[in-house]
Amino acid sequence: MTTTRTTHRETSMKNPLHPFGTCTLVGAGPGDPDLLTLKAVKAIHAATVLFVDDLVNDAILGYARPEARIVHVGKRGGCKSTPQAFIEKLMITAVREGEAVVRLKGGDPFIFGRGGEEVEHLREAGIECTVVNGITAGLAAVTSLNVPLTHRDHAQGVVFVTGHAKTGVGAAEAPTDWRALAAMARDARLTLVIYMGVSGVRHIQDELLQGLPGDTPVAVIQHASLPQQRHIATTLARLQAGIAEAALASPSIIVVGDVLRGLAASAVPASRFGT
């Protein structure tokens, strides 16, 4: 064990107000290290151990101290992942050992990042944690194309929704009602931002077409904010075909709504944001 970590542990144990270590959930943003907040950088640098999600850019780990322990706990749809319960157990154990724990998560911890679950389990273990927001991929994706999520003439609000809902009996009883979302987006003039929707795009497209016209503008952005970012601008009627033709895959964001009507004419280069 390094001197820095031992000193931190001894300090924590001697302080009756902080018998354990500390825990901070940090949003690493969509990938570009320049999009980290100053608070995130400070938290990463102060950590003695970091539990890092799969989609976190390795360059962001450069802000960690050389003696910090970095534990990769990959979680990516369709791939072998570290069980969530095991990650939470690791976090709790490290805090109880006096570590300054950072749980480093892609995007924002509280937007499809299971941050809420982790806070609940930490609290049940008697551990309070701090949360540092990060720029969520859904925001970074459209910003990279110079497109707003809301606009007084086109969209009065925005809905963030996952295309990969929780599995199991509960999910089967209450699946995502894409038809209701489509009707709401149409009537209330909302932009839909769909995370993790590529694998289920056929079903999502078919259901959204029950409430939205086929010429509704759609954009699909892969690897938002990174140099390898690619995107397509298409319509709802051609969503599945467009993804297949461009060979887009996860991680991608699907954006649906009238705020995109000027995108095709703007001819934004696919990698503009990361260069």
Side-chain angles (χ1 to χ4, degrees), residues 13 26 52 56 64 69 74 81 92 99 103 107 145 153 167 177 180 192-193 206 209 214 220 244 251 265-266:
M13 292 178 67
V26 177
V52 183
V56 173
R69 183 161 56 99
S81 299
I92 292 169
E99 302 280 9
R103 175 74 168 100
L145 306 179
D153 295 332
T167 57
D177 192 337
L192 299 181
V193 180
D206 289 346
L209 283 170
V220 184
S266 68

Side-chain angles (χ1 to χ4, degrees), residues 11-46:
T11 301
S12 298
M13 292 178 67
K14 290 179 181 178
N15 188 341
L17 297 178
H18 300 283
F20 300 149
T22 60
C23 185
T24 308
L25 273 59
V26 177
D32 184 351
D34 288 345
L35 294 180
L36 284 171
T37 65
L38 290 175
K39 192 169 185 178
V41 171
K42 291 176 182 178
I44 293 169
H45 184 70

Side-chain angles (χ1 to χ4, degrees), residues 65-78:
R65 291 184 290 183
E67 65 269 22
R69 183 161 56 99
I70 296 173
V71 182
H72 292 277
V73 287
K75 295 192 75 64
R76 183 180 295 197

Side-chain angles (χ1 to χ4, degrees), residues 120-138:
E120 290 171 2
H121 284 91
L122 288 163
R123 189 170 291 140
E124 289 172 1
I127 299 169
E128 293 296 329
C129 68
T130 301
V131 179
V132 178
N133 291 117
I135 295 177
T136 184

Side-chain angles (χ1 to χ4, degrees), residues 178 182 192 194 201-219 233-242 254-257 260:
W178 294 104
L192 299 181
I194 304 169
V201 67
R202 179 176 181 178
H203 173 70
I204 293 171
Q205 176 185 355
D206 289 346
E207 292 295 288
L208 290 180
L209 283 170
Q210 303 306 309
L212 289 168
D215 66 350
T216 301
V218 176
T234 185
T235 63
L236 186 56
R238 295 206 76 255
L239 174 56
Q240 184 184 3
I254 301 172
V255 185
V256 182
L260 297 161

